[in-house]
Amino acid sequence: MPNNNHKGETLVEVKNLVKYFPVRAGLLQRVVNHVKAVDDVSFTVRKGETLGLVGESGCGKTTVGRTMLRLIEPTSGSVLVNGRDVFSMKGDELKAARREMQIIFQDPYASLDPRVPIGESVMEGLHIHQIGTPRERVAIMLETLKKVGLEEYHARRYPHEFSGGQRQRIGIARALALRPSFIICDEPVSALDVSIQSQVLNILKDLQQEFGLTYLFIAHNLSVVEHISDRVAVMYLGKMVELTTRTELFRNPLHPYTQALMSAIPIPNPRLKRQRVILKGDVPSPLNPPKGCRFHPRCPVAMERCAQEEPVFKEVSPDHWVACWLVE
């Protein structure tokens, strides 16, 4: 279990998180199989840092984020925030914890009510948690909109009147209104064009410094992750395969899957070319993941042992965790 006590206090600790979705069939809708979306994932997030979580589509990144907040109920495992288990909370205790943990969704338009002015959407959390008087709530909402680069008159407008980048700022404002300590950013810039991406990333960085926020930043674009993260975790087919600091990961990726991801990052120099690692075949189905290491059917350097035994996710050098038999 990656423990980070030698560098900053741990804010969030995810232990052996599992989420299986049942697959039903037949007249009686019996459970015939399970989609193993997240399968025994453990990591920690330190106070004030940004942990990047990367992997290709369908590897379980978003499910990890949503299960941590209990937007999806877990199959097993635990998530400790400040030492308290989120999965065992009920009622008022869970409501109070939710104020500390917020999420910025990937599609800002789908997460905003089209019939409600955005000022009301930003204030919704303040109403639910009964923060301040109505006048104070309006003041907090207007101040929060300013923090993300929007104006006061925007509060009366509806979601369809904004561009994609502005909507994402509204999503950030809504997460920020309750002044949480931990925010899960679920691919917050993947739907935006590149010039807007950098603006939104800079807003996130500025807010982190101003409010001492901690981020779990989910993305599939490694260049974005390199720009914003302190540490990076790499997922493949519901499993964690590598976790280390940003500099170490980009300088010395140890897992063959991480190396393949790295080889796809373009170099901003037309004379230089990376040695591309082209993975063969498609990602296996999470309904029936391969035995042994899940990556072995596509791994260019797989051994016999990889098909038989599942590698342990362990620390191979200070603060560098890998699940791979080759690193042994």
Side-chain angles (χ1 to χ4, degrees), residues 72-125:
I72 305 172
E73 287 297 324
T75 303
S76 67
S78 63
V79 171
L80 306 174
V81 178
N82 283 323
R84 289 162 44 235
D85 187 3
V86 179
F87 295 165
S88 63
M89 290 176 185
K90 290 187 177 75
D92 290 345
E93 190 189 6
L94 179 62
K95 185 176 172 182
R98 284 243 160 97
R99 189 181 161 180
E100 286 297 305
M101 310 181 295
Q102 292 291 310
I103 184 167
I104 299 165
F105 291 101
Q106 179 176 357
D107 180 356
Y109 193 57
S111 63
L112 290 167
D113 187 336
R115 297 161 302 182
V116 174
I118 63 111
E120 293 290 325
S121 289
V122 172
M123 283 194 293
E124 190 176 10

Side-chain angles (χ1 to χ4, degrees), residues 178-308:
L178 288 167
R179 301 291 182 262
S181 54
F182 178 56
I183 297 182
I184 292 178
C185 308
D186 183 12
E187 305 211 17
V189 295
S190 62
L192 310 175
D193 53 357
V194 179
S195 59
I196 307 294
Q197 278 187 9
S198 56
Q199 290 175 18
V200 171
L201 290 175
N202 289 336
I203 286 173
L204 287 171
K205 274 186 148 176
D206 293 345
L207 292 172
Q208 183 172 36
Q209 285 180 332
E210 187 175 342
F211 295 104
L213 297 170
T214 304
Y215 292 143
L216 175 67
F217 192 92
I218 299 168
H220 56 251
N221 181 340
L222 277 163
S223 313
V224 168
V225 168
E226 184 179 18
H227 179 65
I228 199 166
S229 303
D230 299 300
R231 290 185 308 141
V232 183
V234 183
M235 271 185 84
Y236 181 80
L237 205 63
K239 289 267 184 199
M240 202 64 92
V241 295
E242 190 159 1
L243 169 64
T244 185
T245 60
R246 173 189 62 191
T247 27
E248 177 68 7
L249 190 84
F250 283 81
R251 187 178 59 82
N252 180 27
L254 294 178
H255 197 282
Y257 176 61
T258 314
Q259 291 164 0
L261 288 180
M262 293 291 173
S263 77
I265 302 174
I267 300 175
N269 183 337
R271 290 197 185 85
L272 293 176
K273 272 211 155 134
R274 273 187 213 272
Q275 191 64 45
R276 272 305 303 270
V277 181
I278 307 289
L279 298 175
K280 52 182 192 272
D282 290 323
V283 183
S285 165
L287 272 170
N288 191 14
K291 198 172 163 243
C293 171
R294 296 196 169 182
F295 186 57
H296 86 261
R298 302 175 72 201
C299 182
V301 288
M303 311 176 288
E304 214 166 287
R305 186 181 189 184
C306 303
Q308 303 305 320

